[in-house]
Amino acid sequence: MSNPTTITSEPGVPFVETIREFDAPVDAVYRAHVEPELLAKWLGPRRDTVSGIEYDTRVGGRWSFGGASSDGYEFTFSGVFHAVEPQKLLIMTFEFSGAPGQVGIGTTTFEDLGGRTRISIHDVYPTVEARDMAVASGMDSGVIEGYERLDELLAG
């Protein structure tokens, strides 16, 4: 059974909080979040395709990937890394092609639980409305299914 994913978006603030634990060491979970060949194996729901993953994981480095949903909707995500502390912290901007100009900031912390790992993600959207649109898009199901796929990858 997979570990639960907790996604919280309180009314009136432009934040989304995500917490998830993995039954794998922090090094493996961190690498799965920054190495394109590993990201390609778990990022997003199974019904979508993801392609063109580029991650220059250093301060000032860019990241991007494209994809298509099962109904043919094509999209891209992109941003810039602002803090990179291997196995501890990633701070990066993010922008979705479906909402151009709406740039958010995501902070991901990796916590070593002694052979297991907890990640905590704090996403800040430019407005509550932008956050609400992202939440209404079904992002939670994509995040949850992606982490289930990451569980499978980490189990090897």
Side-chain angles (χ1 to χ4, degrees):
M1 181 171 167
S2 172
N3 291 308
T5 302
T6 303
I7 301 173
T8 306
S9 54
E10 298 292 334
V13 292
F15 311 135
V16 175
E17 310 289 339
T18 304
I19 298 174
R20 178 65 150 77
E21 292 183 6
F22 296 91
D23 298 326
V26 68
D27 175 58
V29 175
Y30 179 80
R31 284 189 308 108
H33 279 79
V34 297
E35 294 183 11
E37 61 276 5
L38 296 176
L39 281 160
K41 295 178 180 177
W42 68 268
L43 195 59
R46 296 178 204 285
R47 65 185 180 279
D48 291 357
T49 59
V50 174
S51 60
I53 299 173
E54 294 184 17
Y55 265 54
D56 180 5
T57 312
R58 59 190 167 102
V59 174
R62 297 187 163 281
W63 67 272
S64 65
F65 65 87
S69 66
S70 58
D71 60 1
Y73 176 74
E74 294 184 3
F75 58 85
T76 60
F77 284 92
S78 61
V80 174
F81 288 98
H82 288 263
V84 177
E85 296 179 26
Q87 302 178 29
K88 293 182 181 174
L89 175 73
L90 293 171
I91 299 176
M92 52 208 260
T93 59
F94 60 89
E95 185 173 4
F96 172 55
S97 59
Q102 300 290 313
V103 180
I105 300 172
T107 300
T108 303
T109 57
F110 299 79
E111 182 179 355
D112 184 351
L113 301 176
R116 301 181 71 245
T117 304
R118 177 183 300 127
I119 62 169
S120 300
I121 303 169
H122 175 73
D123 288 329
V124 180
Y125 288 81
T127 63
V128 171
E129 292 77 19
R131 190 279 315 262
D132 289 347
M133 286 177 53
V135 170
S137 74
M139 66 175 266
D140 58 339
S141 64
V143 169
I144 290 168
E145 190 172 339
Y147 285 151
E148 290 171 353
R149 296 175 66 198
L150 179 54
D151 280 336
E152 296 166 10
L153 176 67
L154 293 168

